[in-house]
Amino acid sequence: MQLHSSSGKWRLGLGLSLLTASLWGILPIALKITLQAVDVYTVTWFRFLVSFALLALYLSARQELPTLKKLQTVNLGLMAFAVLFLAANYILFLIGLSLTSPANTQVLTQIAPVLMGLGALVIFKEYYTRSQWIGLGILSLGFSLFFHEQLTTLISAQSQYLIGSAIVILAAAIWAAYALAQKQLLQYLPSESIMLILYGGAAVLFTPFATPQLLLTLSPLHWVTLLFCALNTLIAYGAFAEAIDHWQASKVSAVLAITPLITLISISIFSSFFPYLLTPERLTTIAILGAFLVVSGSIAIAMGKSR
């Protein structure tokens, strides 16, 4: 089987990766607020349904909807795998988030891009240079310092917190498998067509479990956060799909490593204005040093030159 290879437009891939990291970084805040009023299944169903509808309208206007002839060339087993694993990641992430905190969720979710990067080294024959391996070491050290407080809390937490954390780790591993399948699917279809099928398939899967009538009872605040979550899905995953089309998955994963930093910065800003909606996170000197090392390690991996 021929494997997908990146287009080589690394600047475009880098920009799209940064956009994805930014959107995913602020997403847990909106989700945490939305889950105060809507159950996880309805939130997930709504996000996929809105993303599918908007993307279908966009592709229809551009006359770029996937044709039946083109769909017949797709590896259906791989596509089904991607749909199921993306849907599973979404619901497990939300369940874990409801049992823990946005910051802790993003800490544990970082296993996802790391696993994706390592998987790309094996499956797609990508490789790290010596400087990139050093960058990975710096990044790992940075995370251990940056999240020292959160990890200490995790070890001594109550059972509900631990269960939620375990669910988030499982969601992260599932996402890594989905991401690698998504990259290979680019061998058959453009990223927009793949995401259209993924959104539509996942929306169908969650329809029996959703409670649409709940949406009629939402406050304006929860409507805003719910719509933001849906649009975040459409834009962030579209940017991610394009990023791995133009750049090596191992390098995309390195840029995504800054996502939890964006989350904690966003929490700090948001909670200062709306403390009744979100508890602020306090950063120690060690955490700030860790943040510097995480960013430095990510840059070393992302910008490393191939031999």
Side-chain angles (χ1 to χ4, degrees):
M1 179 177 65
Q2 185 177 3
L3 297 175
H4 173 265
S5 58
S6 303
S7 70
K9 299 177 181 178
W10 70 268
R11 291 182 180 84
L12 178 58
L14 173 60
L16 291 169
S17 300
L18 289 172
L19 174 60
T20 303
S22 299
L23 290 173
W24 283 350
I26 58 179
L27 178 61
I29 299 174
L31 285 173
K32 193 69 175 180
I33 296 172
T34 304
L35 290 174
Q36 296 171 357
V38 190
D39 64 273
V40 294
Y41 299 102
T42 304
V43 170
T44 306
W45 166 79
F46 184 84
R47 292 172 68 190
F48 281 126
L49 183 63
V50 171
S51 298
F52 172 79
L54 293 178
L55 185 55
L57 288 174
Y58 172 78
L59 293 179
S60 177
R62 294 173 58 92
Q63 297 183 341
E64 294 179 356
L65 286 170
T67 62
L68 181 60
K69 182 179 180 180
K70 193 68 175 176
L71 292 175
Q72 289 175 341
T73 66
V74 177
N75 185 325
L76 296 180
L78 189 61
M79 181 64 77
F81 177 91
V83 170
L84 290 173
F85 273 57
L86 179 62
N89 166 260
Y90 264 60
I91 196 65
L92 290 173
F93 180 87
L94 275 185
I95 293 173
L97 177 63
S98 68
L99 297 174
T100 61
S101 67
N104 181 67
T105 300
Q106 285 292 29
V107 176
L108 301 175
T109 299
Q110 283 318 292
I111 193 176
V114 173
L115 290 176
M116 182 187 81
L118 295 176
L121 297 180
V122 176
I123 297 174
F124 294 103
K125 311 305 179 185
E126 298 178 6
Y127 57 88
Y128 283 168
T129 61
R130 180 180 299 176
S131 63
Q132 288 172 308
W133 282 112
I134 294 173
L136 180 61
I138 294 173
L139 183 147
S140 301
L141 175 61
F143 273 125
S144 66
L145 294 176
F146 187 72
F147 294 117
H148 175 73
E149 305 295 334
Q150 285 80 4
L151 292 176
T152 301
T153 301
L154 176 60
I155 293 173
S156 60
Q158 298 178 352
S159 59
Q160 176 177 298
Y161 202 81
L162 292 173
I163 292 172
S165 299
I167 292 173
V168 172
I169 292 173
L170 176 60
I174 288 174
W175 182 89
Y178 145 76
L180 293 171
Q182 158 89 12
K183 182 170 178 60
Q184 180 58 21
L185 285 170
L186 291 167
Q187 187 71 23
Y188 308 100
L189 289 173
S191 60
E192 298 91 343
S193 299
I194 296 171
M195 296 314 301
L196 182 69
I197 297 171
L198 293 177
Y199 293 149
V204 170
L205 286 177
F206 283 106
T207 297
F209 307 101
T211 311
Q213 55 267 32
L214 274 179
L215 304 180
L216 301 176
T217 65
L218 294 184
S219 66
L221 170 64
H222 290 116
W223 259 116
V224 169
T225 56
L226 180 61
L227 287 172
F228 174 81
C229 292
L231 293 175
N232 190 295
T233 295
L234 176 65
I235 299 171
Y237 268 88
F240 170 74
E242 281 290 302
I244 59 176
D245 190 19
H246 296 297
W247 209 20
Q248 293 179 344
S250 54
K251 294 188 177 183
V252 172
S253 70
V255 176
L256 296 182
I258 68 173
T259 299
L261 304 184
I262 297 173
T263 298
L264 287 176
I265 292 171
S266 301
I267 289 174
S268 178
I269 296 173
F270 185 88
S271 61
S272 65
F273 289 99
F274 307 101
Y276 56 91
L277 290 177
L278 209 60
T279 303
E281 298 280 346
R282 291 185 174 87
L283 297 181
T284 64
T285 303
I286 293 178
I288 295 174
L289 173 61
F292 174 78
L293 292 176
V294 167
V295 174
S296 300
S298 296
I299 293 174
I301 297 174
M303 297 292 100
K305 300 293 184 181
S306 299
R307 289 177 297 187

